[in-house]
Amino acid sequence: MRKTKEELQAILKRENCKRLWSWSRLECFRNSPYEYFLNYIKHEPKDRQDCIYAPIGSVAHEALELYYTNQIDRDKMLESFEDGWFNSTTILDLKFDRNDESKNETIKQKYYIDLQLFFKNHRDIKRYKPLMEQFIKYKIDDNLFQGYIDCCFKDESGCFNIIDFKTSTMYTGKTLIEHSGQLTVYAMGLMQAGIPKDKIKIGFNFLKYCTVTYTQANGKTKDRNVERSKLGESLQTNVKMWLNKIGYSEEDADFYLKQLIDSNDISVLPEDVRIKYIMNDCYVFIPFDDVLRDKWIDIIQKTIKDIELRESDYKTDFNEKVFYDTDEQLKSQSYYLATLCEYSIEKHKPYKEWLDKIDAKKNGFGLFDNVGTNSSSLSIADKKTSNDKSQNDDLSWLDDII
């Protein structure tokens, strides 16, 4: 049950905090300061809500929540997902790619197969009696974070697992750490509630993928994360090895390999080969330690300080450019702004100016348009410590286009 505005304000007062935050609000600013300005300061209506990624994530989350809160049976999960999929892709015509219809169709087909296979083959965790959409709060300085954990359960070892269901591409390496902020905040919330740090595990369940535990030729097993729609293709080399090793003829081996590729299902394999493979959901855990905790506390504190300095500066002269994304931010977030941002280019002024500047460079005209203006902005914290030089004298932006 979601907390009401009144309930949240009561919690804020009880915790003696001055401001309430959600991770989505903080992440909005980290994605784009100007999007934050449009959404939370100007309260500008969103005019670009044709992207499907967030809605289809909600569709998958809802199907899982309905099942784990005993509102539907297991065989209704797939039906719930498919109803939401049809509404999103056909009725609302939401897009995976806004600019290329052919690419959109290709992505859509793979996404559907991946998620359909998840709901058909999901490994049930009801034995753990998981809590879905569990409210959590975390106090940092005089700020209070509140949110809802997708799935939380206590496993056989007594550890509390905080799981985020993801319909996105799987995170690995540095990307995994870069997306661990929300899970870390929730883990710190459990710590403040009295759960020891070494009893907390955080991780993602990547719905589009499965983890295959397969037996190698030497008899040892190995785990491999595979996109569900590519299962047969990914396993064919290992399957061929076992078909040959067990003694199947070349003709029979070719037959079974073709069946595997065509069906994308290991159930078509003979029993003595099929037992070499165990399928599980794709859980990817992140070590919750002092290094990760301190990293995100530092990021959160600096981000909140930056937001508050910009908000204060904006209240002084109502100059929205204090919330402009820098050129570096616009470049690094160009995919997000083109594909995921819920504001159009027309409303996202710094993004439009950046694209116009790139077009001018490509086309060789308008080179000195807007000389003497600054289309990007340093963070307010940086501006306060920079040289006290007039912005009108700053032509450093020309370095990017000359």
Side-chain angles (χ1 to χ4, degrees):
M1 182 70 71
R2 295 270 167 171
K3 301 290 183 184
T4 65
K5 184 177 180 180
E6 292 72 24
E7 288 173 327
L8 290 173
Q9 287 302 315
I11 294 172
L12 188 68
K13 184 177 181 180
R14 187 168 64 247
E15 294 289 340
N16 194 30
C17 292
K18 70 173 185 178
R19 191 163 183 179
L20 188 68
W21 294 88
S22 65
W23 184 257
S24 60
R25 181 171 186 144
L26 197 79
E27 192 69 357
C28 177
F29 179 84
R30 296 182 72 237
N31 286 331
S32 168
Y34 195 75
E35 183 184 12
Y36 177 94
F37 168 75
L38 291 174
N39 192 9
Y40 293 103
I41 306 298
K42 199 174 179 182
H43 303 293
E44 183 76 20
K46 297 172 181 176
D47 64 337
R48 193 73 193 274
Q49 294 180 283
D50 56 349
C51 178
I52 197 173
Y53 288 101
I56 211 63
S58 297
V59 166
H61 280 69
E62 182 180 8
L64 285 161
E65 184 180 357
L66 288 172
Y67 172 63
Y68 280 109
T69 54
N70 300 313
Q71 297 180 63
I72 60 174
D73 296 330
R74 180 187 172 90
D75 60 359
K76 294 294 183 182
M77 268 200 305
L78 178 58
E79 183 179 320
S80 174
F81 162 72
E82 289 184 330
D83 286 345
W85 177 272
F86 179 80
N87 184 62
S88 298
T89 59
T90 305
I91 304 300
L92 298 177
D93 195 27
L94 303 180
K95 303 294 185 182
F96 288 95
D97 192 296
R98 293 166 165 171
N99 306 308
D100 187 327
E101 187 59 35
S102 176
K103 186 176 180 182
N104 175 70
E105 283 300 316
T106 299
I107 297 172
K108 183 170 75 172
Q109 290 174 18
K110 286 182 60 181
Y111 246 83
Y112 177 71
I113 294 171
D114 286 333
L115 294 178
Q116 182 191 52
L117 288 172
F118 168 81
F119 285 107
K120 284 183 176 180
N121 301 300
H122 169 56
R123 298 300 291 266
D124 198 300
I125 56 171
K126 272 199 170 182
R127 65 188 182 280
Y128 296 125
K129 299 179 180 179
L131 297 174
M132 309 297 287
E133 293 296 312
Q134 176 64 39
F135 176 77
I136 190 77
K137 57 184 174 64
Y138 172 64
K139 182 178 180 181
I140 177 170
D141 302 327
D142 55 358
N143 296 285
L144 186 69
F145 277 83
Q146 61 87 22
Y148 298 85
I149 303 173
D150 282 357
C151 178
C152 185
F153 62 86
K154 190 176 182 180
D155 63 24
E156 298 94 337
S157 66
C159 286
F160 291 83
N161 290 249
I162 299 174
I163 303 299
D164 191 5
F165 294 117
K166 281 291 182 187
T167 55
S168 66
T169 299
M170 185 172 62
Y171 308 142
T172 58
K174 290 182 179 179
T175 306
L176 185 64
I177 301 301
E178 289 169 1
H179 286 85
S180 66
Q182 185 174 29
L183 287 170
T184 302
V185 168
Y186 292 167
M188 292 188 292
L190 285 189
M191 285 184 64
Q192 285 190 349
I195 307 298
K197 181 181 62 179
D198 61 355
K199 287 295 183 180
I200 300 172
K201 295 169 67 176
I202 60 175
F204 298 99
N205 182 344
F206 290 103
L207 274 57
K208 289 172 53 186
Y209 300 79
C210 61
T211 298
V212 184
T213 301
Y214 63 97
T215 306
Q216 303 175 92
N218 59 12
K220 295 181 179 180
T221 60
K222 188 175 181 178
D223 289 342
R224 183 178 178 185
N225 296 326
V226 177
E227 188 173 353
R228 291 179 184 270
S229 61
K230 298 179 179 179
L231 178 66
E233 175 188 336
S234 301
L235 294 182
Q236 62 176 323
T237 300
N238 186 264
V239 168
K240 184 176 182 179
M241 180 273 295
W242 279 114
L243 288 167
N244 292 335
K245 193 176 182 67
I246 291 172
Y248 287 86
S249 67
E250 185 175 342
E251 182 180 356
D252 285 343
D254 289 343
F255 169 78
Y256 284 121
L257 286 172
K258 186 177 186 306
Q259 291 284 96
L260 176 65
I261 297 297
D262 291 345
S263 67
N264 197 51
D265 188 345
I266 64 171
S267 67
V268 301
L269 299 175
E271 175 66 18
D272 49 3
V273 176
R274 190 167 65 247
I275 61 173
K276 306 296 183 181
Y277 306 91
I278 300 173
M279 314 294 295
N280 283 295
D281 283 5
C282 181
Y283 288 94
V284 178
F285 288 92
I286 309 156
F288 177 57
D289 53 23
D290 290 338
V291 174
L292 188 68
R293 183 185 63 182
D294 292 346
K295 168 189 172 68
W296 281 107
I297 288 177
D298 183 60
I299 290 173
I300 290 168
Q301 289 173 328
K302 287 179 177 177
T303 304
I304 290 176
K305 181 180 179 181
D306 193 4
I307 291 172
E308 291 180 338
L309 284 169
R310 292 179 194 243
E311 289 175 340
S312 176
D313 203 44
Y314 177 71
K315 288 177 182 178
T316 301
D317 56 11
F318 297 99
N319 180 6
E320 66 181 43
K321 286 196 172 184
V322 300
F323 280 99
Y324 264 36
D325 307 51
T326 65
D327 283 356
E328 182 180 350
Q329 288 173 317
L330 293 165
K331 182 178 180 180
S332 65
Q333 292 290 79
S334 58
Y335 175 80
Y336 170 83
L337 294 169
T339 308
L340 303 174
C341 181
E342 293 182 304
Y343 290 103
S344 66
I345 294 174
E346 287 71 25
K347 287 198 174 186
H348 199 297
K349 294 179 184 178
Y351 183 46
K352 185 178 188 306
E353 291 177 14
W354 182 70
L355 291 175
D356 287 346
K357 191 167 67 174
I358 291 174
D359 285 341
K361 179 182 177 182
K362 287 180 179 177
N363 296 322
F365 64 86
L367 181 61
F368 292 97
D369 288 351
N370 299 320
V371 169
T373 64
N374 186 7
S375 63
S376 62
S377 174
L378 294 171
S379 73
I380 300 303
D382 289 337
K383 284 175 67 179
K384 299 298 185 186
T385 58
S386 66
N387 293 330
D388 186 21
K389 182 179 180 181
S390 170
Q391 287 185 2
N392 291 334
D393 295 331
D394 181 13
L395 303 182
S396 59
W397 62 273
L398 283 171
D399 294 339
D400 295 329
I401 63 173
I402 292 179

